Amino acid sequence: MNEISVGILGTGKYVPERRLTNQDLEKMVDTNDEWIVSRTGMRERRIAAPEQATSDLAYEASLQALQAAGLTADQIDLIIVATITPDMFFPSTACLLQEKLGAKNAAAFDLSAACSGFIYGLANATGFIKMGMYKHVLVVGAECLSRITDYTDRNTSILFGDGAGAVVLGQVPEGRGFKSFKLGADGAGGDLLRICGGGSRLPSSEQSVNEKRHFIEMNGRDVFKFAVRVMGSAAEEALAHAGYTKADIDLLIPHQANIRIIQSALERLNLSEDKAMINLDRYGNMSAASIPLALAEAVEEGRVNEGDCLVLVGFGGGLTWGASVLIW
Ligand code: UT7
């Protein structure tokens, strides 16, 4: 029996309306537009309305992805939501989304791999479809990072935003679809990027709140060094595994953490900047939502053509990383 080719049938995205600009941040912490733009490339981010939670953002992006795929919610067999900002501990955001969509035939679970979560989700979905267990899988990256960001900390508050991206995976013609995945983790670097409060190690308490343990803690410089190392190597390994080379890449869809991290990956892959989808200037870093949202915008802008070789690559807390080669 020939192996099924699995690819993307439709993409969708959603960002909240409210904008948080560098000028807004100048009034909140000791920073300035020039520093933020030159060190990160970011200019503004979107912030969810008070009544919006991650599943609401995921819902809007999913509706678009379903429509683009030409499918109804009841044709979805599995929902995977990659997020570090679930609506609540449980039920999973995927179950909340299943209910909102009316995807009554779908199994549903959340996936925790921080900013690499969407690529981990794609790998899971592809495996399920290839083994014949499911036909259509909805994979979503969705975050409300504004809820876990300390807006008195200039090291982190300038970086993060809210948003969601979604894709529907299913069978595609032979020769197209996902050609490889490279996933990795290094738990030894877990303390470089984390939230400690609220889990079983440090349950929520007055003290945990006062000590700000429910916000993102990050060693920016070390995460930066890790990211520069791993973005290029993960992409190269995924390419080699798929039997492709750097010269084959038509478009890089990188995690949108910092323009300088993306530039170093481009250098290593011998690519010019027009070969990368970059939208961090408008949205900042949306963790698991960054890659699917960049992909959805690239499709929307007509930057992705049939037969193109795309490389998706990201890194994040865990530490984790992931890359994939996708023939559109
Ligand atoms: O999805 C993964 C999540 N995280 C990341 O990807 C983060 C990766 N890291 C980074 O993107 C960068 O390390 C940052 C953007 C976080 C920081 O940039 P950097 O070039 O590594 O700056 P730095 O931490 O080395 O700080 C340089 C200087 C410091 O001042 P001194 O010690 O040289 O006097 C900081 O205190 O810049 C200062 N600084 C700021 N100044 C103005 C740090 N944050 C700010 C700020 N505004 N917001």
Side-chain angles (χ1 to χ4, degrees):
M1 192 181 78
N2 282 337
E3 201 181 59
I4 294 171
S5 295
V6 177
I8 292 179
L9 307 179
T11 60
K13 62 157 199 179
Y14 175 78
V15 287
E17 272 172 38
R18 194 184 140 207
R19 290 176 159 83
L20 179 69
T21 64
N22 291 353
Q23 288 70 26
D24 295 328
L25 285 160
E26 283 176 359
K27 294 178 200 134
M28 297 159 73
V29 288
D30 179 18
T31 189
N32 58 77
D33 178 59
E34 196 278 325
W35 191 96
I36 302 174
V37 173
S38 62
R39 298 288 181 124
T40 70
M42 294 168 187
R43 294 179 188 277
E44 60 181 45
R45 318 105 194 103
R46 298 301 181 97
I47 304 294
E51 67 277 10
Q52 285 180 313
T54 296
S55 67
D56 301 312
L57 278 48
Y59 173 69
E60 300 294 339
S62 299
L63 285 183
Q64 269 191 16
L66 283 168
Q67 194 184 13
L71 294 172
T72 51
D74 58 357
Q75 290 175 286
I76 296 296
D77 306 306
L78 171 67
I79 298 172
I80 301 174
V81 175
T83 186
I84 53 166
T85 48
D87 286 28
M88 54 191 83
F89 267 120
F90 71 91
S92 67
T93 302
C95 281
L96 300 173
L97 178 61
Q98 187 238 23
E99 157 67 10
K100 279 186 212 290
L101 288 169
K104 56 184 189 303
N105 298 314
F109 67 87
D110 284 2
L111 192 154
S112 173
C115 309
S116 317
F118 181 71
I119 293 180
Y120 270 64
L122 292 177
N124 271 271
T126 300
F128 279 124
I129 297 171
K130 277 192 189 280
M131 76 192 274
M133 192 161 163
Y134 297 125
K135 207 165 160 210
H136 298 128
V137 181
L138 175 65
V139 184
V140 185
E143 304 284 8
C144 282
L145 297 182
S146 61
R147 304 282 154 75
I148 55 166
T149 298
D150 177 1
Y151 286 102
T152 65
D153 175 12
R154 71 174 182 174
N155 293 304
T156 52
S157 59
I158 58 156
L159 298 175
F160 302 113
D162 302 338
V167 296
V168 178
L169 264 59
Q171 187 168 2
V172 293
E174 209 185 316
R176 290 166 58 186
F178 292 101
K179 295 293 172 189
S180 67
F181 286 99
K182 171 67 196 172
L183 304 180
D186 178 10
D191 57 355
L192 297 181
L193 185 53
R194 63 182 182 178
I195 291 183
C196 294
S200 56
R201 179 77 57 196
L202 184 66
S204 308
S205 66
E206 204 177 327
Q207 190 182 351
S208 72
V209 172
N210 290 340
E211 290 176 354
K212 300 188 170 186
R213 306 309 299 274
H214 300 271
F215 291 129
I216 296 170
E217 295 170 15
M218 183 181 77
N219 178 331
R221 277 182 210 187
D222 284 357
V223 173
F224 189 96
K225 284 184 218 153
F226 152 72
V228 164
R229 199 176 62 243
V230 87
M231 288 277 277
S233 61
E236 282 176 358
E237 284 173 45
L239 281 164
H241 193 242
Y244 287 78
T245 70
K246 300 174 197 183
D248 295 315
I249 301 175
D250 292 302
L251 189 64
L252 187 75
I253 312 277
H255 176 45
Q256 308 282 315
N258 187 316
I259 190 67
R260 292 183 293 138
I261 293 172
I262 295 175
Q263 283 162 346
S264 86
L266 286 169
E267 205 172 305
R268 176 149 172 188
L269 297 168
N270 301 329
L271 298 173
S272 53
E273 204 158 307
D274 62 319
K275 289 269 184 157
M277 180 63 204
I278 297 169
N279 61 10
L280 54 71
D281 50 323
R282 286 173 288 135
Y283 304 130
N285 177 349
M286 296 173 292
S287 190
S290 277
I291 292 175
L293 211 139
L295 176 65
E297 286 205 335
V299 171
E300 207 174 79
E301 291 172 12
R303 293 185 65 177
V304 184
N305 301 302
E306 205 173 304
D308 277 359
C309 175
L310 273 57
V311 171
L312 283 54
V313 60
F315 67 92
L319 298 169
T320 56
W321 59 92
S324 179
V325 174
L326 168 64
I327 304 301
W328 196 256

